[in-house]
């Protein structure tokens, strides 16, 4: 069985080497024979693209966008070129720890789940205290999404989402930016997927440390909840 780790990248020169190393050294189940690291550079301008082009390892599958399009667009490319049986999304900014892959993969490997979300708000794992309004906004968006999808997620906006490849191949990703999160949630709910949540840790960043999501993205997410649940 093959695991594809899809990493959307934009101006991550400070962390890209560390995240590749962390993914490569992450513990995975004995059921996983092969690890594929799929990186999509979304037209970085800080040297990330040049660094990636210098890498020659066989476990890397790297694509480059000629213009910046956003996280959703990078994931759309990454899903398309992934060749694994299971696909996991990994941000490049070290907010999420690849050491937790085993707990994320377990429900799929046991054939209990088609999709697994890693929730920052379940369990007793470490959670960095950062922005109150971000937490409130995430809770609000998750609640509104749950009302429309009739599923009881605690963290719709989490980066850590894991899919069986045959599930993600059925879904056309339309959103180019952070609207991907409510879009994919609406679409897997409509497919009647078996969805699980597991608790994960979260090492959040401040804006000074490179965090990119903002109020505009939150408003877009709200629109996407309505769009992909009611208008499609």
């Amino acid at each position: 069985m093959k695991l594809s780790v899809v990493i959307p990248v934009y101006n991550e020169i400070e962390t890209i080497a560390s995240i590749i190393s962390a993914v490569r050294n992450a513990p995975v189940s004995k059921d996983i024979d092969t690890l594929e690291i799929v990186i999509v550079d979304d037209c970085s301008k800080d040297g990330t693209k040049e660094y990636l082009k210098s890498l020659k390892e066989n476990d890397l599958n790297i694509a480059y966008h000629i213009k910046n399009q956003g996280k959703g667009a990078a994931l759309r490319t990454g899903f398309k070129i992934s060749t694994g049986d299971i696909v996991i999304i990994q941000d490049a900014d070290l907010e999420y720890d690849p050491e937790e892959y085993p707990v994320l993969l377990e429900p799929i490997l046991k054939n209990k789940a088609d999709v697994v979300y890693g929730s920052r708000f379940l369990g007793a794992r470490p959670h960095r205290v950062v922005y109150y309004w971000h937490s409130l906004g995430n809770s609000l968006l998750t609640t509104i999404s749950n009302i429309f999808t009739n599923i009881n997620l605690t963290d719709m906006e989490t980066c850590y989402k894991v899919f069986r490849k045959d599930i993600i191949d059925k879904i056309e990703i339309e959103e180019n930016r952070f609207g991907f999160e409510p879009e994919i949630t609406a679409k897997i709910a409509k497919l009647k997927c078996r969805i699980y949540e597991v608790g994960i840790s979260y090492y959040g960043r401040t804006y000074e440390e490179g965090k990119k999501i903002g109020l505009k993205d939150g408003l877009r997410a709200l629109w996407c909840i309505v769009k992909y649940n009611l208008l499609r």
Side-chain angles (χ1 to χ4, degrees), residues 67-84:
K67 67 177 182 178
N68 179 254
Q69 299 175 62
K71 180 179 178 178
L75 289 173
R76 182 166 58 239
T77 297
F79 294 153
K80 187 178 297 184
I81 66 175
S82 295
T83 60

Side-chain angles (χ1 to χ4, degrees), residues 19-222:
I19 196 61
I20 291 173
S21 176
V23 170
R24 190 172 277 144
N25 293 302
V28 292
S29 167
K30 57 181 174 53
D31 296 314
I32 302 295
D33 303 308
T34 308
L35 175 68
E36 173 188 50
I37 303 174
V38 179
I39 301 173
V40 182
D41 181 79
D42 196 31
C43 198
S44 293
K45 303 295 186 183
D46 68 341
T48 302
K49 177 173 64 175
E50 290 73 19
Y51 173 77
L52 291 172
K53 287 187 174 181
S54 73
L55 302 179
K56 306 299 181 185
E57 289 85 352
N58 292 332
D59 60 351
L60 297 176
N61 185 0
I62 305 176
Y64 302 91
H65 286 173
I66 61 173
K67 67 177 182 178
N68 179 254
Q69 299 175 62
K71 180 179 178 178
L75 289 173
R76 182 166 58 239
T77 297
F79 294 153
K80 187 178 297 184
I81 66 175
S82 295
T83 60
D85 304 287
I86 303 173
V87 178
I88 183 169
I89 300 171
Q90 172 71 58
D91 281 351
D93 56 14
L94 303 180
E95 289 188 334
Y96 295 81
D97 189 355
E99 288 287 321
E100 296 176 341
Y101 286 178
V103 70
L104 289 159
L105 291 168
E106 183 179 358
I108 293 179
L109 292 174
K110 288 187 173 180
N111 197 28
K112 301 290 186 181
D114 304 308
V115 179
V116 177
Y117 279 41
S119 173
R120 294 165 288 180
F121 310 118
L122 284 178
R125 295 176 182 271
H127 183 116
R128 183 181 178 184
V129 176
V130 191
Y131 295 117
Y132 169 74
W133 291 109
H134 273 223
S135 176
L136 184 63
N138 181 79
S139 178
L140 179 63
L141 289 171
T142 297
T143 298
I144 296 172
S145 175
N146 287 346
I147 290 169
F148 283 98
T149 59
N150 195 32
I151 58 178
N152 61 337
L153 292 171
T154 65
D155 192 4
M156 179 268 292
E157 292 281 349
T158 181
C159 157
Y160 268 165
K161 295 178 172 71
V162 191
F163 309 91
R164 284 180 22 214
K165 185 61 158 61
D166 61 314
I167 295 296
I168 201 63
D169 283 346
K170 294 177 181 177
I171 298 172
E172 178 185 357
I173 304 302
E174 301 172 53
E175 291 297 310
N176 284 341
R177 285 182 55 81
F178 294 99
F180 162 82
E181 313 292 359
E183 177 191 0
I184 196 69
T185 302
K187 290 181 175 180
I188 62 172
K190 288 182 178 180
L191 286 176
K192 306 296 184 184
C193 293
R194 298 172 298 167
I195 305 167
Y196 273 60
E197 271 190 315
V198 297
I200 60 166
S201 57
Y202 179 62
Y203 304 93
R205 294 196 299 178
T206 64
Y207 284 108
E208 292 76 15
E209 293 168 330
K211 194 170 188 68
K212 300 179 178 70
I213 194 168
L215 177 61
K216 181 180 177 181
D217 297 300
L219 294 174
R220 178 67 188 182
L222 187 60

